[in-house]
Amino acid sequence: MADQLDLPDRTLVTGGAGWLGRGLLHLFTDPTSAYHRGGELVALVRDRSEADLLGTEVPAVRAVVGDVTDPRSLDALFDGAGGRTDLIHTAGVIHPRTVAEFDAVNAGGTRNVVAAARRAGIRRMIHVSSNSPFGVNPSIGDTFRAREPYHPYLGYGRSKMEGELAVLEAARSDRLDAVIVRPPWFYGPWQPLRQTTFFQMVKAGRFPLFGGGHQRRSMVYVENLVQGIVRAERSPGEPGRAWWIADERPYEVREIVATVQQALRDEGIESKDGGLRAPAVVARVAVAADTVLQRIGTYVQELHVLGEMGATIACDISAARDELGYRPEIDLLEGMRRSIRWCRAHGVEL
């Protein structure tokens, strides 16, 4: 894409030890990567054990300990930041211990980061959001467009919406150059336990397919997501813009399951065909129970995921393609094969 902004002299990454944060930092420091960059890389981590982890994995990155919920602890991240510093805000909580963590981290934490970024005078902030501020598609055939009204899905969706609103307000009124990327379900190296569980269920033929598995899901391989983040970072234009970043097209859930099974077999791992057929009412009951529990402050990850799997969450990436030149290069089968190879290389049992 022509007329891109230059790479920054310094890149700040919150959530540096998280799934996406580690993916970013590995690609930024790998000289063979298309996303390799020079300059200083500074990552915010929650504790000394995470700092030690990054020190071992990516020694070129300077890790600073802090917590987005504690504004004073952010000073070390922004110390010395200025006009050629970019910030990529990936820190967030998806599956918390309590519902209150959603608001503390995703909403309050983002407000704290925005305030610190504004004071520091950074060049650009890229806020990594989610599909959840927009809920689920009202029908299997519906697809979220570039401009959708907010319709948050339970506590996570509300907290991510509040985070987006804080970013957009700063972009409008405080002249903070901030933009938003909205990935749906992402997958790939550095995956957490829940993604390993997904592979194990698919391998055993026990991943639930509600109503035949015709629901559509947009997904994004981590390296495709990094491409979208970098293109959003370097795209000139007005602050406050937002883009869906996903693979080229949504997939039916049954196609996702079949593709993972094929990827497992391609990598020499025996896998059963099909999934666990389940009536759609099971997912609806899970959503109802999840809603009741979240109202009293209780979060049950398995229940939440079960309910969400009965829904369509599909988005249209044409705005990112047209405005950013975003072109996802890694398709679902190849992305899953790379994910499986990463698991085996790191001793993750599938």
Side-chain angles (χ1 to χ4, degrees), residues 33-114:
S33 163
Y35 309 107
H36 178 260
R37 62 177 59 190
E40 186 180 16
L41 290 167
V42 188
L44 183 74
V45 297
R46 292 174 297 180
D47 53 40
R48 180 48 52 188
S49 65
E50 290 188 348
D52 292 342
L53 173 70
L54 284 189
T56 301
E57 289 184 353
V58 278
V61 174
R62 180 166 64 89
V64 296
V65 176
D67 191 320
V68 296
T69 66
D70 177 4
R72 291 172 298 179
S73 75
L74 298 177
D75 291 346
L77 177 67
F78 288 94
D79 183 39
R84 286 186 59 85
T85 298
D86 288 354
L87 165 68
I88 304 174
H89 178 44
T90 79
V93 59
I94 299 175
H95 298 296
R97 291 165 297 181
T98 67
V99 172
E101 287 184 58
F102 282 139
D103 289 330
V105 176
N106 299 338
T110 298
R111 285 192 286 268
N112 292 337
V113 170
V114 165

Side-chain angles (χ1 to χ4, degrees), residues 279-341:
V281 67
V282 174
R284 292 197 291 270
V285 170
V287 172
D290 188 20
T291 302
V292 170
L293 288 173
Q294 289 203 32
R295 282 175 181 165
I296 61 173
T298 300
Y299 182 84
V300 179
Q301 176 179 330
E302 295 79 7
L303 190 66
H304 180 80
V305 172
L306 184 66
E308 200 175 49
M309 287 313 303
T312 285
I313 304 174
C315 62
D316 177 2
I317 66 168
S318 59
R321 190 166 50 232
D322 296 344
E323 297 172 19
L324 303 179
Y326 170 65
R327 297 289 187 276
E329 298 175 351
I330 301 165
D331 65 15
L332 185 65
L333 179 59
E334 177 59 24
M336 289 300 177
R337 291 191 66 176
R338 293 187 186 191
S339 302
I340 293 163
R341 290 197 292 269

Side-chain angles (χ1 to χ4, degrees), residues 23 32 76 92 98 100 122 161 176 196 199 253 266 273 321 325 329 343:
T32 68
T98 67
I122 64 162
M161 177 187 72
L176 175 67
T196 303
F199 280 143
V253 173
D266 288 349
D273 287 327
R321 190 166 50 232
E329 298 175 351
C343 288

